[in-house]
Amino acid sequence: MGMKGVDVGYGAWLAMIAAAGTALAIAGAAGAQGLDAHALAAACASPAPVAENDYRCGLAHYLGKGARADAAEAFRRFMRAAEGGHTEALNNLGQMHLDRASRFHDERKGFALLLQAAEKGYAKAQYSVALLLEEGHAARQDLALARSWYRKAAEQDHPFAQNNLANLLRWGTGGGRDVPEAARLYQRAAERGVPSAAFNLAELYLEGEGVPRDTVEAHLWFTRAAAQGDKALKARIFDILSALEERMTDAERKAVANRNAQWRAERPVQNK
């Protein structure tokens, strides 16, 4: 196909932020930690000057969950938590500064705060810093440095970082080319449910780049990408699969049907 791999880029990232506030990076933190409204409200009620309590109370005010929705109070609480050494709060401040709809919008400040969180080892901030550096937003474009930060996040199993690092490795952007390593990273990200990674891996199998050429594997990963992707990706894949199926043997079609049935049966209930 000779296409650039499908990226999880800054434009898509901003679109997600615009659609759901900065919930892309902030709201997910509450879910990941299993924090319900009661736990968040308790943090706001606690008189103890503890960074974790300020962080949780910031989440409560940001999300309007366990406390009134109040971006200014969320910012103040995140700031106090960050001053107490809380890395996730530092990340959240950076995300709030990057939100173009926010009263706190200041991309340079946002990048500086995310860089601090990244340097402390926080994978989400490492991914964000890499993305901004790759696309030259809020900082001067530096593809080699972007690649370095993607790698740090990828090593912590951040799936979007794995996909984007794989793209740089696949095309030799910002450093040497390593297509087999790109294939390995695409597969890890695809197995974590990143549709663009599944699409990119399918391309490699179709072309025999970094992996053996395998029509069945290509079909399988295109199908998974379509099942998990947005309308634009689904439409793109529909034409590819139609052309691919015309060239497949009956044995290959049967193998694809069996493997897809197995995959659907094994998918977690929440993804069905």
Side-chain angles (χ1 to χ4, degrees):
M1 288 185 180
M3 304 178 192
K4 182 181 184 294
V6 179
D7 209 358
V8 182
Y10 185 72
W13 190 45
L14 286 180
M16 285 188 280
I17 288 174
T22 36
L24 170 68
I26 295 177
Q33 296 178 24
L35 300 177
D36 58 17
H38 177 74
L40 296 175
C44 290
S46 174
V50 178
E52 179 65 19
N53 285 340
D54 278 318
Y55 166 70
R56 292 185 180 197
C57 189
L59 286 176
H61 284 291
Y62 184 81
L63 301 170
K65 182 179 179 181
R68 72 185 186 284
D70 186 335
E73 182 62 12
F75 190 90
R76 187 182 76 82
R77 288 287 194 152
F78 286 147
M79 179 71 77
R80 200 159 76 175
E83 289 169 351
H86 201 290
T87 307
E88 288 177 82
L90 193 62
N91 175 75
N92 289 0
L93 287 171
Q95 299 291 351
M96 291 184 79
H97 276 307
L98 288 176
D99 183 358
R100 290 176 178 170
S102 167
R103 59 181 283 194
F104 305 105
H105 180 238
D106 185 326
E107 291 192 353
R108 290 191 178 276
K109 278 187 180 178
F111 180 81
L113 290 166
L114 288 173
L115 184 59
Q116 289 180 47
E119 288 170 343
K120 291 176 181 289
Y122 191 56
K124 288 181 182 177
Q126 291 170 342
Y127 166 71
S128 297
V129 165
L131 191 56
L132 293 167
L133 286 168
E134 182 186 5
E135 302 204 5
H137 289 278
R140 182 176 60 84
Q141 186 180 50
D142 189 327
L143 296 173
L145 193 54
R147 185 163 159 159
S148 174
W149 281 114
Y150 276 139
R151 186 172 294 282
K152 290 178 190 296
E155 287 171 352
Q156 296 191 66
D157 251 1
H158 192 293
F160 294 138
Q162 289 168 340
N163 178 74
N164 288 11
L165 173 59
N167 281 339
L168 299 183
L169 291 167
R170 178 179 177 183
W171 301 106
T173 306
R177 195 165 182 240
D178 189 340
V179 185
E181 175 66 2
R184 186 187 71 82
L185 287 164
Y186 283 146
Q187 180 146 353
R188 290 197 61 145
E191 288 171 348
R192 297 278 302 281
V194 179
S196 51
F199 181 93
N200 294 331
L201 181 60
E203 281 192 321
L204 294 186
Y205 274 113
L206 193 60
E207 300 296 332
E209 291 185 70
V211 291
R213 188 187 300 271
D214 190 323
T215 303
V216 171
E217 285 294 325
H219 192 292
L220 290 168
W221 288 109
F222 277 133
T223 301
R224 295 179 192 190
Q228 298 168 322
D230 59 18
K231 288 182 179 179
L233 189 60
K234 289 179 194 295
R236 184 175 177 184
I237 291 169
F238 178 81
D239 291 335
I240 295 171
L241 286 179
S242 296
L244 187 58
E245 286 167 3
E246 287 180 4
R247 309 201 309 256
M248 292 174 70
T249 66
D250 288 342
E252 287 173 332
R253 291 191 188 93
K254 184 176 181 180
V256 161
N258 290 339
R259 294 274 298 279
N260 278 333
Q262 181 182 0
W263 174 67
R264 290 189 182 97
E266 292 173 352
R267 289 176 74 189
V269 171
Q270 64 267 28
N271 289 341
K272 289 187 177 179

